[in-house]
Amino acid sequence: MTNTTLVDADIGISPRRRSLSLPAWLVLICIIAFTALLLAGAAIWKNAPPVPEIVRSQQQEIILTKAEIQAGQETYLARGGQHIGSIWGHGSYLAPDWTADVLHRWGLATAGVLYNDNPDFTQADLEALPVAKKASLQAQVSQEFKTNRYNTETHELILTNAQTEGLKKVFQDYQKLLAHGSAIHSIPDGWFKDNTQIRNVTSFFTWTAWAAAVNRPNAPFSYTANWPHDDLIGNQAPGQFIIWSIVSVVTLIAGIGVFLFVYLTQEETDEVQPVPARPAVRIPTPSQKVTSLFFGVAITMFLVQIIMGMFTAHYAVEGEGFYGIPLINFLPYAASRTWHLQLAVFWIATCWLAAGLYFAPRFGGIEPKFQALGNTVLLGALALVVVGSMIGTWQAVTGVLDIKNSFLWGHQGYEYIELGRVWQLLLIGGMIFWLWLMYRAFKPALKKEKNPTGLSHFFLYSAITIPLFYSVGLAYTNHTPLSIAEYWRWWVVHLWVEGFFEVFATVVIAYLCSELGFLKKSSALRATYLTTILYLGSGVVGTLHHLYFSGTPSFIAAIGAVFSALEVVPLTLIGFEVLKTLKLSQEAEGFYRWPLRFFIATCFWNLVGAGVFGFLINPPIILYYSQGLNTTPIHAHAALFGVYGCLALALMLFALREFVPENTWNERLLRFSFWMINGGLVGMLVLGLIPNGFYQLAVSINHGTWFARSAEVISSPWMKWTVWLRIPGDIIFAIGAIAMFAFTVRAIIAVFRFPVKPRHTELLVAVGASNDAGTLRQRDAEIDV
């Protein structure tokens, strides 16, 4: 039998049936999906809302300029950007959505000018009008804002007299708000001290509001598909959103049906293999010992992230302090929230990178020269990036850094990619160095496998995507048009975090299960290809569901709705994988039990957090009303920690289990940590985030996005009580995290402090092809401390 036939047989392709193999299908699907995503990006760039060179009144008075709008964007991003309110619904949820707030204020002031030539017109004044008069006035305001008066030849925008006078009132209001802040919204006093900066930032907000209201050329809705919802302006959900939401639900049901049919009619080939009740504990190589320090750093960042989360959540009930302490003077809301999100990405990624460094010599069978030194250097570089970027973001938020230096060393202003550009480049360099360290240790496994579509090569390919797709964050700057910047940002947030890091973790788990004897290698390889095909086949194009209201053409919503629904289909596979993993857990009872339990938790939260809560906000008609509200954190907490956090802990425990001395491995502490962490997350969701988010959603549907984000709603008793009700879940979760920290620190001390006295050692493979490198295969031994 030829090598090709063996490969096909390994991944489930009959030698007699020469159809496309699974690797070929994966390549084809990736080419089609990324082609579609890139073409969508070209359409977004072509149809993005224009930034007028000059905004004039009908009397030719210059009101705004393009330079002011762009300077306002750069200034806003430099001072924390999406961590102080949001733009087009992207950002934090405590301060106003600036697009919705400016648009409604502008609309009210314009209504006042039209009604009695007085821009001091409030929502209460509007509600007090007779029904017929109110409807007539709203129709006039809608006509003012919906008519597109942008000249594509001169690149000038003309505002009506009523809009011009109304906008002056908005600038007066924002002069006070941006200079003196708002305790309710946790906006610090002196957020912007320079009147020029305040004017520029307000100009930027005004442009986003104009793009959200004015109709696209030859379309009955705005550049943001009539988001935000605001009856006064005439912003109502486009009818096609209902159609595509129905299509997405039908697609989801049909997709799950087809998947279940195929899955259940296939022969069961993924046999669970018997494994020893207590496999031999491995003697760690020097480089693998260093990886345990990575885990210690990661768990420390996890604890700090939890503390920052508590500070951030508490700002919702005590806008300027923490139980009477004026925290806003030392750690403003934008800084605490930035650190909370940054540290989440940092500690999870650190666990995953450390797992790669541990498993590379484990799978490759060698310990290259100076590998431990390389790992140590990488750990120091990562620590430098983490500490440096956190200091930089704090300096940017508090105004220590100027606009230019803020972008380079401080805060880029976008969620999940907050760190300054210099730190971002250093992090990418660290990932490339990590890839090289992994490759040199894993190279023997690649040579042994020879076949470029095997599991070892798949492991390498998935590792390459980690630095590659994080580098996409370099495709925009702080003055890139907002629609284009959001497009590239979601490549990183969705494709890097939710896509290729998950693929990498899937391959690691599959490889590990095959190496440990849980699954046949052919079964693990086939399952990995199928899972990756299903996930990337829907997930790549599904990135577009984040861009419904980011100044994108209408077909983006149609494509994003369908493919985001299909993203749930591979997550149903998780339900079946849970059953399989439970079998594995039973086979490995007493040894790999708790690493596998955290993997089971990953499967559960993948289905619930990413699948159920993700689809909850994905259909266009639902997201139209829930964009920028506290419904998103329901999905974010359940998916980011539930899926990626638990997976990071599972990978960490798999590695530690193999070389931590037996008398240090505390099963009771792990059991306690497991149930406290997962139980705390459930309490956090059920008691706090879910009732909080759904209340705000109901307000948005009934009264508009502007009102759902207003001080009246944010400071309402219901919103505050649901924040307080989070405390039990938060405390339980934190106690579980502390238990995990104690376990990890104890394990690391045991690895480095206690002498290893093996009763017997067995040299698996003597120095062979790697003799000139002076390397040996790692030894298996039962240890006695």
Side-chain angles (χ1 to χ4, degrees):
M1 185 179 288
T2 65
N3 287 338
T4 302
T5 305
L6 282 170
V7 172
D8 287 344
D10 279 348
I11 56 176
I13 304 297
S14 171
R16 298 180 181 178
R17 189 175 176 184
R18 304 306 301 171
S19 58
L20 284 178
S21 63
L22 288 178
W25 272 113
L26 177 58
V27 172
L28 178 61
I29 286 174
C30 283
I31 290 173
I32 294 173
F34 277 103
T35 299
L37 188 59
L38 289 169
L39 289 175
I44 291 172
W45 175 80
K46 183 179 180 181
N47 295 280
V51 181
E53 292 288 343
I54 296 176
V55 179
R56 298 182 186 272
S57 68
Q58 290 180 325
Q59 284 72 37
Q60 298 302 303
E61 174 190 1
I62 296 178
I63 303 171
L64 303 175
T65 65
K66 183 175 183 178
E68 290 175 325
I69 295 170
Q70 290 181 332
Q73 176 180 332
E74 295 172 9
T75 303
Y76 169 70
L77 294 175
R79 290 294 174 265
Q82 291 182 340
H83 292 282
I84 290 283
S86 56
I87 296 291
W88 291 344
H90 293 297
S92 61
Y93 312 107
L94 184 54
D97 178 88
W98 302 110
T99 301
D101 189 67
V102 167
L103 184 57
H104 193 73
R105 288 174 185 256
W106 193 4
L108 282 174
T110 302
V113 173
L114 292 172
Y115 179 63
N116 59 6
D117 200 27
N118 182 7
D120 293 322
F121 192 73
T122 65
Q123 184 67 26
D125 295 331
L126 179 65
E127 298 297 337
L129 294 176
V131 175
K133 183 60 180 176
K134 177 183 175 183
S136 174
L137 184 57
Q138 287 187 170
Q140 292 180 63
V141 173
S142 176
Q143 180 69 22
E144 295 276 314
F145 280 88
K146 286 296 179 183
T147 303
N148 196 331
R149 302 178 182 86
Y150 174 74
N151 190 317
T152 56
E153 294 181 359
T154 63
H155 304 292
E156 292 187 359
L157 171 64
I158 304 298
L159 299 182
T160 67
N161 290 332
Q163 283 181 306
T164 301
E165 293 303 313
L167 188 56
K168 291 178 181 178
K169 176 65 167 58
V170 174
F171 271 78
Q172 290 175 5
D173 292 345
Y174 267 58
Q175 177 67 36
K176 298 177 183 177
L177 177 62
L178 300 185
H180 301 294
S182 167
I184 293 176
H185 293 300
S186 296
I187 301 173
D189 184 15
W191 184 26
F192 299 106
K193 299 178 182 178
D194 187 313
N195 288 337
T196 301
Q197 288 186 347
I198 293 174
R199 175 176 172 79
N200 291 343
V201 170
T202 309
S203 299
F204 171 60
F205 293 163
T206 299
W207 171 77
T208 68
W210 170 79
V214 68
N215 282 344
R216 279 183 176 273
N218 304 315
F221 44 79
S222 73
Y223 288 99
T224 60
N226 278 357
W227 190 93
H229 173 217
D230 193 329
D231 292 334
L232 174 61
I233 308 300
N235 269 6
Q236 297 284 347
Q240 61 177 325
F241 273 25
I242 299 176
I243 296 173
W244 288 113
S245 297
I246 294 172
V247 170
S248 71
V249 174
V250 172
T251 301
L252 171 62
I253 296 171
I256 292 178
V258 171
F259 165 75
L260 290 177
F261 175 79
V262 173
Y263 187 91
L264 296 176
T265 55
Q266 294 295 311
E267 294 183 6
E268 181 62 49
T269 58
D270 295 348
E271 301 175 12
V272 175
Q273 304 296 307
V275 295
R278 186 182 180 279
V281 177
R282 288 180 173 268
I283 299 176
T285 68
S287 72
Q288 290 176 325
K289 280 191 174 184
V290 175
T291 61
S292 66
L293 296 178
F294 279 78
F295 296 130
V297 171
I299 294 301
T300 302
M301 288 192 288
F302 181 29
L303 289 185
V304 178
Q305 187 225 344
I306 292 173
I307 295 171
M308 291 301 107
M310 290 180 174
F311 288 157
T312 303
H314 192 78
Y315 268 117
V317 294
E318 191 179 348
E320 295 183 314
F322 187 77
Y323 296 102
I325 301 172
L327 188 65
I328 199 168
N329 295 332
F330 313 102
L331 186 68
Y333 173 82
S336 70
R337 190 174 188 271
T338 295
W339 286 1
H340 180 60
L341 292 188
Q342 267 192 327
L343 287 169
V345 174
F346 282 149
W347 83 260
I348 291 172
T350 298
C351 280
W352 290 3
L353 296 179
L357 292 174
Y358 171 79
F359 287 117
R362 166 80 158 81
F363 298 155
I366 68 168
E367 171 80 354
K369 279 186 178 181
F370 308 116
Q371 186 78 354
L373 177 61
N375 287 4
T376 305
V377 170
L378 179 60
L379 179 60
L382 289 176
L384 174 65
V385 169
V386 169
V387 175
S389 64
M390 289 179 66
I391 293 174
T393 53
W394 179 85
Q395 290 178 322
V397 169
T398 55
V400 174
L401 295 176
D402 59 25
I403 305 303
K404 180 180 179 181
N405 285 316
S406 178
F407 175 74
L408 292 176
W409 298 96
H411 208 306
Q412 291 193 39
Y414 290 103
E415 278 187 302
Y416 298 104
I417 317 175
E418 297 90 350
L419 70 174
R421 181 55 54 91
V422 173
W423 303 115
Q424 186 181 17
L425 288 168
L426 290 174
L427 184 56
I428 293 171
M431 290 180 186
I432 294 173
F433 183 53
W434 164 80
L435 181 62
W436 178 74
L437 289 173
M438 279 190 46
Y439 174 74
R440 66 199 298 262
F442 193 62
K443 191 174 179 180
L446 299 172
K447 289 182 176 179
K448 181 181 178 181
E449 187 175 65
K450 297 180 181 178
N451 170 40
T453 61
L455 195 56
S456 296
H457 282 78
F458 204 162
F459 177 78
L460 176 64
Y461 303 149
S462 65
I464 292 173
T465 63
I466 304 304
L468 178 64
F469 279 88
Y470 186 77
S471 300
V472 176
L474 302 175
Y476 61 87
T477 66
N478 57 347
H479 57 265
T480 300
L482 200 56
S483 299
I484 308 303
E486 286 290 347
Y487 169 77
W488 290 116
R489 181 174 77 91
W490 284 108
W491 270 60
V492 179
V493 179
H494 185 85
L495 287 179
W496 183 66
V497 177
E498 300 179 42
F500 287 99
F501 244 132
E502 184 155 326
V503 170
F504 172 73
T506 300
V507 177
V508 171
I509 293 293
Y511 205 121
L512 184 63
C513 287
S514 67
E515 285 286 307
L516 296 177
F518 292 156
L519 293 175
K520 288 183 178 180
K521 200 159 191 175
S522 58
S523 299
L525 179 61
R526 184 177 60 256
T528 300
Y529 270 107
L530 287 172
T531 302
T532 305
I533 287 171
L534 283 171
Y535 193 84
L536 295 184
S538 57
V540 172
V541 183
T543 305
L544 298 176
H545 80 262
H546 297 285
L547 302 170
Y548 293 162
F549 315 114
S550 298
T552 57
S554 59
F555 75 87
I556 294 296
I559 298 175
V562 172
F563 280 89
S564 65
L566 288 174
E567 282 186 83
V568 183
V569 175
L571 296 180
T572 59
L573 175 64
I574 300 303
F576 297 93
E577 294 305 315
V578 166
L579 299 178
K580 250 180 222 180
T581 310
L582 282 172
K583 293 181 183 179
L584 302 182
S585 180
Q586 292 169 2
E587 293 289 346
E589 190 73 23
F591 197 80
Y592 290 105
R593 177 180 181 182
W594 289 106
L596 286 169
R597 288 291 172 91
F598 273 96
F599 180 56
I600 292 170
T602 299
C603 297
F604 170 80
W605 289 113
N606 215 339
L607 180 61
V608 175
V612 176
F613 292 144
F615 188 74
L616 171 69
I617 58 174
N618 279 358
I621 193 62
I622 298 178
L623 193 58
Y624 177 81
Y625 295 105
S626 64
Q627 173 94 330
L629 305 184
N630 282 305
T631 48
T632 302
I634 300 171
H635 164 61
H637 284 75
L640 184 57
F641 175 79
V643 179
Y644 305 106
C646 282
L647 185 53
L649 295 176
L651 292 173
M652 178 186 77
L653 293 175
F654 265 120
L656 292 178
R657 187 66 183 106
E658 293 203 329
F659 61 79
V660 170
E662 190 67 28
N663 64 348
T664 307
W665 189 263
N666 193 324
E667 293 273 327
R668 291 184 178 179
L669 193 57
L670 281 179
R671 181 186 299 109
F672 177 78
S673 175
F674 176 85
W675 289 113
M676 293 294 281
I677 286 175
N678 285 282
L681 183 57
V682 170
M684 189 190 309
L685 292 168
V686 173
L687 297 178
L689 291 172
I690 292 176
N692 185 289
F694 274 79
Y695 169 75
Q696 206 176 17
L697 173 61
V699 173
S700 175
I701 294 172
N702 291 323
H703 303 287
T705 307
W706 69 272
F707 188 65
R709 292 286 295 270
S710 67
E712 184 177 348
V713 172
I714 292 295
S715 62
S716 65
W718 179 270
M719 294 291 284
K720 288 193 173 184
W721 269 109
T722 51
V723 174
W724 284 113
L725 287 173
R726 275 190 55 176
I727 289 181
D730 287 357
I731 292 175
I732 292 171
F733 184 90
I735 292 173
I738 292 171
M740 181 60 69
F741 175 81
F743 172 87
T744 305
V745 170
R746 186 167 180 262
I748 294 170
I749 292 174
V751 169
F752 278 90
R753 181 177 178 181
F754 292 93
V756 176
K757 298 179 181 179
R759 281 189 231 149
H760 64 273
T761 60
E762 179 184 0
L763 188 63
L764 295 182
V765 178
V767 180
S770 54
N771 189 38
D772 20 338
T775 56
L776 289 174
R777 271 192 177 268
Q778 184 177 325
R779 297 172 299 172
D780 280 350
E782 188 174 310
I783 65 172
D784 181 20
V785 178

